Amino acid sequence: MKKGKLHIAMFCIHSSPLGELGTKDTGGMSVYVRELSRQLGHQGHRVDIFTHLQADSDGPVVSLYENVRLIYLDIGCRKLSKVALHGYLSHFQRELEAFRERENVHYDLIHSHYWLSGCLADRCQQQWGIPHIISFHTLGAVKNHVGTGPQEPDIRIAHEQQLVDNCQRILAPSEREKGYLIQHYGALAERIGVVPCGVDTDLFKPMDMATARENLGLSSGESIVLYVGRFEAMKGLDRLLRAMTLLRHHRGIRLVIVGGDGQQAPESKRLKRLIKKWDIEEVVTFAGRVEHALLPTYYSAADLLVVPSYYESFGMVGLEALACGTPVVSTPVGGMPSVLKDSPFGYVATGKIPEALAKGIESFALDPKDPAVDRIRDLTLNYSWSCVASAIVDQYETLVSG
Ligand code: UDP
């Protein structure tokens, strides 16, 4: 039974949907919250997104899109690490409650993002008596199982377990992630809804490769392999660099790396050390963090995008590249295998990863993509944010009418 238009409280406390994409804690989740909320608002639902008031925030309330507001909660501290935020949940709750009373708002449900917001939602839903649906985005136990990068703290895993047990519904972006929820947390399959991530196909669309390269000052004579994303051990940039060493015999293949927190960040330094050690300095270019609006130019300039991650809950950059008509080589993570399926414009690298990535890179880097650009873009036809938002509203409705 359709309930009509919903009033949704969206919790995204550790990272603002307006944050700097590509930096350590701001990536796919921020894009997801922004785009999903925008579409929900466009479809007539009302959304209030709650986030932490940080040093550079506008606050206290920003009208983001039609029917969508962003509310900054001032907990008295503007710069805190992710885990430290957990100690301030009562502050968040107090601020939130004050806002709700001031505005006299009542929500139909809470959709929380990441375990920290999940913990806040858990408290609020008990007080407000409304359902709670959670998107974890990544799972601590899976990160620890994969075992690259620092171990995720026990407090995270314990709270994720509690949330899996307590919340009314879990949204997973891929069947693989649903499997992880069942395997690592004993989640009940019937409580998990699978809805993929989306892509803004108005923003991400193909442009002429030569023009794109000229705009970016990239050579027209080289094959360009692109990486886009945060710099985090889990992202597997080390494996991509290793693959580049295996392609040394091909002259004119360049790796362009987009994202990161600047040259002094520890992960940047680690990657630079590897590049030096493996003697591939001449074929790797760091472009730094790039605004979302300029990314279509990078995707269009590239012969292919590589997603070398050890773990990914979905991997939105893959969809963005395809929407720009650029082939994707990916490890078997997140939603990529199901998006690429058996398409000739994608390659899922399995087995010995650096070798398999090198094989995939070789096959696309040496072939011009131009004749196939529209067919590559067609792979994203079912992934518009409006389709995604409608599927998520179906999930919401099972809760509010249930
Ligand atoms: N991104 C960006 N600029 C950058 C690097 C990344 O706008 O310099 C965006 C990218 O376009 C994508 C998001 O950050 O929308 C990364 O999402 P993804 O799901 O690939 O990875 P996550 O950050 O969730 O691990």
Side-chain angles (χ1 to χ4, degrees), residues 205-213 216 218 222-226 295-305 320-328 344-346 361-377:
K205 53 187 175 200
M207 65 188 276
D208 174 59
M209 183 191 263
T211 313
R213 288 192 179 191
L216 299 174
L218 294 171
E222 288 180 322
S223 297
I224 293 184
V225 178
L226 182 67
L295 273 177
T297 314
Y298 275 88
Y299 290 123
S300 299
D303 289 274
L304 71 147
L305 175 88
E320 293 168 1
L322 294 171
C324 293
T326 301
V328 172
F345 308 118
I361 292 171
E362 202 168 21
S363 65
F364 292 115
L366 306 178
D367 255 355
K369 67 174 183 179
D370 291 5
V373 159
D374 291 337
R375 284 168 61 208
I376 299 173
R377 182 171 162 84

Side-chain angles (χ1 to χ4, degrees), residues 266-277:
E267 188 60 11
S268 303
K269 288 187 176 166
R270 182 179 84 96
L271 295 171
K272 292 241 165 81
R273 279 197 299 274
L274 288 180
I275 290 169
K276 192 156 188 233
K277 182 169 145 202

Side-chain angles (χ1 to χ4, degrees), residues 57-361:
S57 316
D58 290 340
V61 180
V62 177
S63 176
L64 260 196
Y65 308 110
E66 180 188 5
N67 293 324
V68 181
R69 299 188 292 182
L70 175 61
I71 296 119
Y72 289 97
L73 300 173
D74 187 356
I75 55 162
C77 288
R78 299 202 169 188
K79 269 213 169 313
L80 284 172
S81 71
K82 265 195 296 197
V83 174
L85 280 178
H86 183 260
Y88 286 82
L89 287 179
S90 309
H91 296 61
F92 276 115
Q93 192 179 2
R94 213 168 38 233
E95 283 298 301
L96 225 162
E97 206 44 50
F99 172 85
R100 202 176 71 90
E101 278 174 17
R102 217 168 35 239
E103 301 266 323
N104 191 24
V105 234
H106 295 276
Y107 298 105
D108 293 305
L109 81 149
I110 307 171
H111 184 170
S112 70
H113 299 269
Y114 198 67
W115 68 276
L116 282 164
S117 292
C119 292
L120 179 63
D122 199 28
R123 295 172 175 215
C124 293
Q125 76 122 157
Q126 286 171 32
Q127 198 172 332
W128 301 348
I130 58 173
H132 170 208
I133 183 164
I134 183 165
S135 297
F136 283 103
H137 293 276
T138 53
L139 294 162
V142 180
K143 282 186 128 185
N144 286 349
H145 180 72
V146 170
T148 49
Q151 281 279 302
E152 290 300 311
D154 290 345
I155 183 172
R156 172 178 180 176
I157 321 280
H159 279 295
E160 284 175 341
Q161 185 63 63
Q162 227 173 357
L163 288 162
V164 164
D165 296 342
N166 286 356
C167 73
Q168 279 65 51
R169 197 147 184 86
I170 305 170
L171 262 187
S174 62
E175 287 295 337
R176 188 179 297 265
E177 198 70 359
K178 176 176 173 176
Y180 288 146
L181 281 158
I182 296 169
Q183 181 190 342
H184 292 275
Y185 296 88
L188 296 174
E190 61 271 22
R191 293 246 305 270
I192 308 171
V194 178
V195 180
C197 289
V199 60
D200 178 351
T201 45
D202 292 330
L203 172 65
F204 292 99
K205 53 187 175 200
M207 65 188 276
D208 174 59
M209 183 191 263
T211 313
R213 288 192 179 191
E214 203 181 310
N215 291 351
L216 299 174
L218 294 171
S219 157
S220 57
E222 288 180 322
S223 297
I224 293 184
V225 178
L226 182 67
Y227 168 88
V228 177
R230 295 176 296 112
F231 283 15
E232 204 197 318
M234 196 64 58
K235 290 285 180 180
L237 264 163
D238 53 345
R239 308 199 286 186
L240 176 52
L241 295 177
R242 185 50 107 185
M244 290 302 290
T245 68
L246 303 173
L247 294 165
R248 251 193 269 263
H249 55 285
H250 286 298
R251 302 191 83 79
I253 298 189
R254 170 163 303 279
L255 170 63
V256 175
I257 299 180
V258 168
D261 300 73
Q263 309 220 6
Q264 296 313 315
E267 188 60 11
S268 303
K269 288 187 176 166
R270 182 179 84 96
L271 295 171
K272 292 241 165 81
R273 279 197 299 274
L274 288 180
I275 290 169
K276 192 156 188 233
K277 182 169 145 202
W278 292 337
D279 195 19
I280 48 171
E281 284 155 299
E282 287 197 355
V283 295
V284 182
T285 301
F286 284 91
R289 205 181 75 71
V290 169
E291 287 301 325
H292 220 45
L294 186 58
L295 273 177
T297 314
Y298 275 88
Y299 290 123
S300 299
D303 289 274
L304 71 147
L305 175 88
V306 181
V307 181
S309 308
Y310 292 89
Y311 169 46
E312 198 70 64
S313 76
F314 189 83
M316 286 201 295
V317 291
L319 279 184
E320 293 168 1
L322 294 171
C324 293
T326 301
V328 172
V329 170
S330 174
T331 47
V333 289
M336 278 307 100
S338 54
V339 176
L340 298 173
K341 285 194 205 90
D342 300 323
S343 165
F345 308 118
Y347 180 83
V348 180
T350 51
K352 283 181 132 185
I353 291 301
E355 286 78 359
L357 287 177
K359 187 172 163 221
I361 292 171

